[in-house]
Amino acid sequence: MGNGRIELWRRCRAVVDRLELPDPFDAESFIASLAEQRGRPIELIPLPFRPDRPCGLLVTTLRADVIIYSSDTTAMHRRHILLHEAAHLLRGHDGGAASAIGPSVLLPHLSPALIKSVLGRTVYSEPQEREAELIASLIHHRVAQDRSSCARARAPRPRVATMFGLREA
């Protein structure tokens, strides 16, 4: 693994290690607590998937951050999309002006003038995308580890080990 990748892993692990994750975990609760910590609303807008648009998008408006995500995908994929977009917020990524994706395709009910005036973060650099993807994956991993350690703590201790003094009764 190259030096840049090692640094990326360290930086992303540090971000995820500092997070307070809801228990039980769900992406919506996590994003609600992130909004509260940031003092800025985060709105979630589900839209049916279409091949001409991304499965997730973060749009910054004057009053809120908006995460648009595919509504008709698996629960695991939806959670990953939401965490990926939240990772952009965690890292303060700013993608600049309007995207070439075609905001009117994503938000057909809004006028093009309004979209142009409120779009903020919509285009990210490749390193920012890698960072957001890794943070989302590390959150998944941490949640799985937390669940696994909770299950181990609740599991009954083997009687044979207890009989031989290998574990306390």
XYZ file of all heavy atoms in Angstrom, residues 73 77 96 123 132:
33
model
N -33.530 0.496 -3.939
C -32.348 -0.348 -3.901
C -32.391 -1.161 -2.613
O -33.315 -1.004 -1.817
C -31.061 0.502 -4.025
O -29.944 -0.364 -4.180
C -30.864 1.416 -2.832
N -27.420 -1.141 0.392
C -26.939 -0.160 -0.570
C -27.438 1.235 -0.212
O -26.679 2.212 -0.278
C -27.375 -0.543 -1.988
C -26.765 0.318 -3.044
N -27.487 0.779 -4.117
C -25.516 0.809 -3.195
C -26.701 1.528 -4.880
N -25.498 1.559 -4.346
N -17.760 22.806 -5.201
C -17.842 23.944 -6.110
C -19.212 24.132 -6.715
O -20.224 23.822 -6.116
N -19.929 18.547 -7.107
C -18.883 17.888 -7.871
C -17.687 17.724 -6.954
O -17.207 18.686 -6.377
C -18.486 18.728 -9.105
C -17.386 18.034 -9.878
C -19.678 18.978 -9.989
N -14.719 9.682 0.970
C -16.112 9.471 1.387
C -16.476 7.991 1.327
O -17.157 7.469 2.217
C -17.065 10.297 0.515
